[in-house]
Amino acid sequence: MKILISGSSGLIGSALAPFLSAQGDTIVRLARSKTPPAGGEILWDPEAGTIDRGRLEGFDAVVHLAGESIAGGRWTPERKARIRDSRVKGTRLLATVLAGLERRPRVLVCASAMGYYGDRGDEVLREDSPPGTGFLAEACRAWEQAADPAREQGIRVVSLRTGLVLAAAGGALPKMLRPFKLGVGGVIGSGRQYWSWITLDDEVAVIHHVLVNESLAGPVNVVVPRALTNREFTRALGRVLSRPTLFPLPAFAARLALGEMAGELLLASQRLEPARLIASGYKYRYPELEPALRHVLGR
């Protein structure tokens, strides 16, 4: 296939592009016009609402991963606006332009996040579960709805409600390792909150699976089948690193250090079940946490 990818320099995009190239696909990167263009890139500026429309004709698929990092700093009002706008404006611009093409792509795969569900305790969350409350839940709803123009023109749209992505070179895992390596790792808050996760290897393979599996449309939970509590996650990470897990981070301390972000990223409980992936026959590379961590960390 000929595939256009936005956010190709991010954690997932930088792994996805070479993976798809190895499958024989032709990859074209959608790059922000503020960066120097490389050969073959298509330029856009989501904030300004500009894009090189003429060059978007004739793609088989589009994978849209671009957006401001949610973990790059405290959530000030300005930062929250950037997080939301970077996703909603970019998705709406891309979906609207794709919908107006003569040769539209067959599928548009858009990033979303498990934050859609909010803090839900022990509730098992499938793709048909209602949205939650909070900043991330509201942002994810608007993010997914921004793809409606493409959906209304018959493009198959898939929203990837991705959990915690485990990778050695980026994302949340390297930040988690620091206290453990110092021997002061431990549970966060009560430790009873559910963390839904997936390895970067499986994340990339899921996107390929979604691209070629025409039965998948709408939201897809991109996590392993069995979510773990933070306590279970912490103990597994301690075993892999051969480090103690005796030093808890109280909820008040997490909120003091990170503000609102702590409540929605670290303390929220999101017990996702990937019902649609399982029904579609996807086979996980790393469905269990300890083997997954050993693979990711080379242990």
Side-chain angles (χ1 to χ4, degrees):
M1 291 188 289
K2 184 180 179 183
I3 302 173
L4 179 68
I5 302 179
S6 77
S8 62
S9 62
L11 175 66
I12 297 171
S14 60
L16 178 65
F19 178 90
L20 294 177
S21 293
Q23 307 299 312
D25 298 317
T26 299
I27 305 303
V28 178
R29 300 169 190 268
L30 185 62
R32 291 181 62 87
S33 57
K34 294 177 183 177
T35 61
E41 289 183 345
I42 297 174
L43 299 182
W44 75 325
D45 186 339
E47 191 66 30
T50 60
I51 193 168
D52 191 345
R53 297 167 185 258
R55 295 186 61 198
L56 295 184
E57 294 277 0
F59 282 93
D60 298 298
V62 177
V63 181
H64 176 42
L65 305 173
E68 178 96 5
S69 170
I70 63 172
R74 289 180 74 94
W75 287 356
T76 63
E78 295 77 17
R79 180 161 180 77
K80 287 167 68 175
R82 290 201 308 272
I83 289 170
R84 186 187 188 281
D85 290 350
S86 69
R87 287 159 170 75
V88 176
K89 288 182 178 180
T91 303
R92 185 178 296 121
L93 171 63
L94 188 57
T96 300
V97 172
L98 294 176
L101 298 177
E102 291 186 10
R103 292 173 293 150
R104 303 182 190 104
R106 297 193 300 272
V107 57
L108 169 61
V109 178
C110 289
S112 184
M114 65 180 177
Y116 175 92
Y117 299 106
D119 185 2
R120 303 288 277 273
D122 293 344
E123 181 183 355
V124 176
L125 301 167
R126 302 180 182 89
E127 287 88 351
D128 58 356
S129 298
T133 59
F135 166 66
L136 285 182
E138 188 279 329
C140 286
R141 285 199 305 275
W143 190 6
E144 293 184 11
Q145 290 168 358
D148 283 349
R151 188 179 293 109
E152 290 162 0
Q153 289 300 314
I155 298 173
R156 178 169 64 94
V157 175
V158 182
S159 298
L160 304 174
R161 293 178 182 165
T162 297
L164 174 67
V165 178
L166 302 183
L173 186 58
K175 297 172 184 172
M176 294 182 200
L177 298 181
R178 294 167 193 161
F180 282 88
K181 289 180 177 179
L182 294 172
V184 293
V187 300
I188 299 173
S190 70
R192 294 192 297 271
Q193 69 272 30
Y194 278 91
W195 281 11
S196 297
W197 60 274
I198 192 166
T199 62
L200 180 59
D201 301 66
D202 269 311
E203 175 80 19
V204 166
V206 164
I207 294 174
H208 177 256
H209 178 78
V210 166
L211 285 170
V212 301
N213 192 321
E214 295 185 2
S215 69
L216 287 168
V220 173
N221 288 344
V222 187
V223 295
V224 299
R226 190 171 76 89
L228 298 176
T229 64
N230 172 256
R231 186 174 301 278
E232 293 171 315
F233 192 102
T234 298
R235 288 174 175 168
L237 184 55
R239 288 193 297 271
V240 170
L241 297 174
S242 300
R243 292 290 191 274
T245 58
L246 304 175
F247 298 88
L249 177 66
F252 78 88
R255 290 192 174 96
L256 188 64
L258 299 174
E260 182 183 359
M261 180 169 62
E264 296 211 27
L265 294 185
L266 300 179
L267 302 172
S269 184
Q270 293 160 335
R271 189 180 184 181
L272 274 64
E273 179 182 301
R276 290 185 174 172
L277 274 182
I278 292 171
S280 71
Y282 179 74
K283 304 299 182 185
Y284 288 84
R285 276 91 170 142
Y286 301 98
E288 300 295 332
L289 181 60
E290 192 163 331
L293 288 171
R294 293 191 182 281
H295 162 69
V296 169
L297 299 175
R299 297 275 181 156

